[in-house]
Structure formats: structure tokens, C-alpha cells
Amino acid sequence: MPFDSILAALDHPLIETGVELNGPGGCNEGFLRDDALLLVVVIQDTYDQHSLGGPYQWAKALYAVKGGDEDAVFALVITSDADISPSLCFPGEPPSYAKNRLRLFGEDYLKHGKVESICAPSYGKFFKETAAQVAALCDEFIPQ
């Protein structure tokens, strides 16, 4: 459950746990910094149908931990492309009826997101483009 884990690591779970991982003495102390972009990486070959909430709530939670600054969050997602056509994972087959919530998050709900198929023959171009986009955000980033 990628997003349950991501949001818990940022001390912003969709259900409060009472555990502060980023606070003084926490196992993630210093992980989330005010003076840096938040870069989220999700690599999963299946859909995330079990994390709480959905793409809208995930994006809002990430923006919240960065003080509402949509330009302080970037996500790259490598996941199944079974929900689109043409599909690299299932060539010649119609798209699945279920939408990939990870794809929706990266493409539709996040201002700065990039999605690639887990079945791509290479990720070189994807990572090069992502690095350029992140570098541009870093150049413009003003810590809150």
C-alpha cells in the first residue's frame, strides 16, 4: 500500500496514528525539510487499490506537508499501464475497466507529476526528463 506508507512516513496519514516519525527522536527525524522539495517516487507493477483515500486526498496531503505549496512537490510514478491504450504491458488488449489510481495521481491530481509504464523497455529518457523538470523546480523553489 504505497500511499499509506508514504503519508505515514511524512507524519500525515489519512487516519491519525498518534506516532510522529519526523519529530525529534523519531526514526525519520529530518526527512521532511522546509528548505527542500518533496520528491516522491512510486514504483509498483500493480494498481494501488488498498491505500486509504484516493489520488485527490494523496495530492492534498502531500501539499499540506509542504505548507500548501504545489510547486514544492514532485512525483514520479512507474506503474502498470493496463488501464490505457495502447498498453506496453498488454499490447493488443483493451484497457482494463479499473483505473490505475497511481496514474491518476501522477497525471491528473498533482501539478508536477510524471508517469511511466513499468513495462517500458528503458527508463533512461523518463529519468532524464524527470531530472530536468525537478532541476527547474529547484531553481525556482523558495523555502516557506
Side-chain angles (χ1 to χ4, degrees):
M1 295 180 276
F3 268 91
D4 287 347
S5 299
I6 290 167
L7 297 179
L10 297 171
D11 283 338
H12 200 72
L14 294 179
I15 293 180
E16 289 301 318
T17 63
V19 177
E20 291 190 22
L21 301 175
N22 292 305
C27 65
N28 286 348
E29 183 177 1
F31 175 71
L32 183 63
R33 299 186 350 247
D34 292 336
D35 64 339
L37 294 175
L38 175 59
L39 175 63
V40 176
V41 179
V42 179
I43 302 173
Q44 183 162 324
D45 66 348
T46 60
Y47 292 6
D48 181 357
Q49 297 301 100
H50 300 291
S51 288
L52 297 174
Y56 174 80
Q57 289 87 0
W58 302 337
K60 289 297 183 188
L62 294 179
Y63 292 149
V65 300
K66 293 306 290 179
D69 185 356
E70 294 181 356
D71 292 322
V73 177
F74 190 99
L76 61 99
V77 179
I78 299 175
T79 188
S80 171
D81 66 359
D83 60 325
I84 61 170
S85 181
S87 167
L88 294 175
C89 295
F90 302 97
E93 294 184 24
S96 71
Y97 68 91
K99 295 294 180 194
N100 187 337
R101 298 185 324 156
L102 297 173
R103 174 184 309 290
L104 293 173
F105 164 76
E107 291 180 347
D108 296 343
Y109 291 95
L110 209 58
K111 183 176 179 182
H112 302 287
K114 193 153 178 64
V115 179
E116 180 60 271
S117 171
I118 194 93
C119 297
S122 169
Y123 302 115
K125 181 179 176 189
F126 172 74
F127 285 126
K128 184 176 181 180
E129 290 172 356
T130 299
Q133 290 175 347
V134 171
L137 278 179
C138 281
D139 289 345
E140 298 172 10
F141 180 67
I142 301 170
Q144 300 287 328

